[in-house]
Amino acid sequence: MSDPIAPVRPQSIVQRAYVYVVALVAIHMIVLGVANILRVLAEMALMAPSGGFTGLPFVFADFSRPRELYREQASLAIALLLVGIPAWWIHFRMAERAARALAERASALRSLYLHLVVFVTALLVFGYGQRTVRLVLQGTTFAQDQARPEFFGLEANWEARAAGAGAMALAAALALAFHLRVSLADRRAVPIAGRAAEVRHFALYALVVIGVFFATFTTVTTLDGIWRRVADAFITLPGINERGAPPGVIHFEPSRDDILRFQLLGAIPAIVAGVALWLGTWLPLQRGLANATDADVERRSVVRKLAIYLVVFVSAVAVLVSATLGLSSVVRRILGDPVVEQYNSLWHELGFPVTTIVVFGALWLFHRRVVEGEARRETELARAATIRRLYTYLICAIGLAL
């Protein structure tokens, strides 16, 4: 009987690349297969027409044969599982046997596999999770009350579509949790540095940037819509009737408040999902700066600094440009333009700049404190001064451009 802790013969780079490429393809086959099996079962239980194949909507383009589509999509999903499960299991076990050698746990190829799966599955949970919640909120609120829910953009058979999106979010979440656990076990077993650390940082900080910008931009547009509705309630614009439509336009049953409610029920899940993606990656990365065995690698990450300064740059530009546009609208009125015009007013024009200043200003101040924290954590005075100078000159460059 062989010794389970006997030294493992290291794999060549070609062998390792083959193992991880097959495992990468197979795990996504499993996610697609599980998600679509659950979706088809939900559609059959709800007696809803078959939707697009989740994750691969272009595979089935003819939706005029619902019964045949059930069988075709279920057969494809089952085939994905029958091929993907053994392929992933065999190749991932090969990778785990090779990972008994600690050097393999710190390899760039292994990190690329793990964190590419983490990146893709996190985005799947992010996208399909918010779609599920949005459909449930909008459907339960409006489907029974409105004679014409399609005016809002509510999808037909929203229950089945929500179940399908939820199935994808669930399948992706299981794969995400497993691979995050493996990544954490690797970091606890051996310090991860070099290219392997760069790959991990790139995947996680990309999720941070996507989450924070998605949440902030969605918040700005949502607050702008609320601002405009409140302004319309106090100041009636010439040329706009009580329904908010130009004269001669046929009135639909839903009121403007109903439309705003419908939009809010779609925006709130998006904002929450963006914040969850941001904080769900940012907070563990912040804790790793102080508590992890590779804290020094985390602090010196170039990808981390690029992500922070990218957020600072976009936030500063958004705030300064919005302040310029808002002041431009005020100065126009001071120079003689009417405050209230046909179909427009000063209050409408100030909505987007003011909400942008508030939301992105808070984001800018937060990351200004992050930059200061980065400088305080540096043990070398020269590096700390460089971090502060980078921030100062970046803001000076934006101001000079304006």
Side-chain angles (χ1 to χ4, degrees), residues 372-385:
E372 283 298 319
E374 294 286 301
R376 285 194 299 270
R377 275 189 291 267
E378 285 294 340
T379 55
E380 299 177 15
L381 294 179
R383 287 179 61 86

Side-chain angles (χ1 to χ4, degrees), residues 6 47 95 104 170 181 198 217 285 289 311 349 390 395 398:
M47 294 182 291
E104 176 63 23
L170 175 62
R181 182 181 176 183
E198 291 174 359
F217 279 109
L285 288 167
L289 295 175
V311 176
E349 291 183 5
L390 280 173
I395 303 304
I398 297 170

Side-chain angles (χ1 to χ4, degrees), residues 32 51-63 73 76:
L32 288 175
F53 196 84
T54 309
L56 299 172
F58 51 84
V59 175
F60 298 94
D62 184 7
F63 295 97
Q73 294 186 0
L76 177 57

Side-chain angles (χ1 to χ4, degrees), residues 328-349:
S328 174
S329 297
V330 173
V331 172
R332 277 182 52 210
R333 271 60 184 196
I334 294 174
L335 295 178
D337 277 5
V339 174
V340 178
E341 305 170 273
Q342 191 174 32
Y343 308 125
N344 194 25
S345 71
L346 172 63
W347 320 115
H348 278 77
E349 291 183 5

